[in-house]
Each structure stands twice: as C-alpha cells, then as structure tokens.
Amino acid sequence: MRLRSALASALTVAAVLTPTATAASATSGAASSRTAALPGICPEKTLDVRASPGGQRNVARISVTNHGGRACVVDRVPAITFRGLDGSAETVPPAESGPYLLSRGERAYAAVRTADPAAAEGHVVGSLSVSAAPSHLGVTFGAATVGMPRGIHVWVPVTTPWQESRAAADRALAEALG
C-alpha cells in the first residue's frame, strides 16, 4: 500500500483546504474556469460517512453527505485505511489531494476495491476506516458491514476520488482497473 505522509496531509490541509484558499470551483468535483474562494473544511460532525457492500465480493461503496447549514469542502480523495495496516488505499486513476465542494445536503460517492478473497497475497483485517478530510478521525466499519463477513482481504487496495453518483463511482473504478 502507498503510505500517506502525515506531513504531506498536514501541508495539504493548510495549503489547499483553508477557508481563504482560492482555487477553481469544484462544484460536484468538476473543475470550472472561474476562480472563487472556497468555503472551509466541513466540520466532521456535519458529515454522514457510510459504507456498504459494492456488488462484488471485494468492493465497498462509500458515501459522504454534508448535513451542515452551508457548503464546505472535503478532500477530493477519501482516506481509506485498514485496521492494523500502515498506509491507505491508492487512488485510481491517480489523483492528488485537493478540495471537493459539497453543497448543503449534497452526497458524494466513492468505490473501494480490496483483494480477491482467494488471493494468496495480503492480509485479512476486520475493518476499514473512512475519513473525508485529513484532519478528521473518520468512521470505522466492520467487515460484515461492507459485505465481507470473513474479513477484508487487503493487497494493494484502491479507491476512486469522490463522484457525483454511486454509478459514477462504480464506472470510475471499472474504467481505472480496465
């Protein structure tokens, strides 16, 4: 698994996701040509992070919903970690950390692929954790919650950036893994 440096995450939060940062508008994750000041990082208490089975035995679906009173940003790449293992899921296609704007009430989706349970390589863990921003603690989900009741088999796990729909997240994962 690719290791995410704590320093890189801290610098990303400080440089990219601050309330005074200026960047291309990221409404629904799509960049636009206009430049605008982005709102601040979504407070963790205003986000609802969920995980569920993804339709295949080694895929989970992740979602985040902004229940706050105004638009805010999360990291464009969800941080997916696995209990007892260092590092996080790699992003496919490769993407850098950056802001993803969530309007009030808006939901974003990602898909996570772990190893095939029949694979010889890897580790089996009992849970995965999802964080929508590097400064958040995140939410932990047991293996059964994500449709892997015998444990999550981990070997080079991958995740998509946030997408505007569940179908878009599934397509992004399928296209990236070809």
Side-chain angles (χ1 to χ4, degrees):
M1 291 191 306
R2 182 184 73 192
L3 297 178
R4 278 195 180 181
S5 160
L7 178 58
S9 293
L11 291 174
T12 298
V13 170
V16 179
L17 299 179
T18 59
T20 59
T22 300
S25 175
T27 302
S28 295
S32 106
S33 60
R34 67 185 175 163
T35 300
L38 290 172
I41 298 170
C42 296
E44 192 164 15
K45 67 183 179 184
T46 67
L47 297 177
D48 181 23
V49 177
R50 295 186 182 234
S52 62
Q56 297 175 332
R57 63 185 182 166
N58 63 332
V59 175
R61 287 189 179 120
I62 308 297
S63 68
V64 60
T65 306
N66 175 8
H67 289 294
R70 64 186 78 177
C72 55
V73 296
V74 295
D75 196 302
R76 91 177 69 191
V77 179
I80 313 292
T81 57
F82 301 88
R83 185 178 184 135
L85 301 178
D86 290 336
S88 60
E90 294 183 28
T91 310
V92 292
E96 294 296 320
S97 191
Y100 185 94
L101 183 66
L102 280 177
S103 297
R104 185 175 65 131
E106 186 177 16
R107 180 175 294 159
Y109 302 86
V112 179
R113 190 211 63 193
T114 62
D116 186 312
E121 299 94 357
H123 303 279
V124 177
V125 298
S127 63
L128 63 80
S129 296
V130 180
S131 176
S135 61
H136 293 177
L137 294 174
V139 180
T140 299
F141 301 95
T145 301
V146 295
M148 303 175 202
R150 294 188 177 153
I152 302 167
H153 198 101
V154 182
W155 181 255
V156 191
V158 295
T159 185
T160 64
W162 293 116
Q163 306 289 321
E164 69 279 354
S165 70
R166 208 174 293 161
D170 290 345
R171 270 192 314 277
L173 185 63
E175 290 170 4
L177 300 176

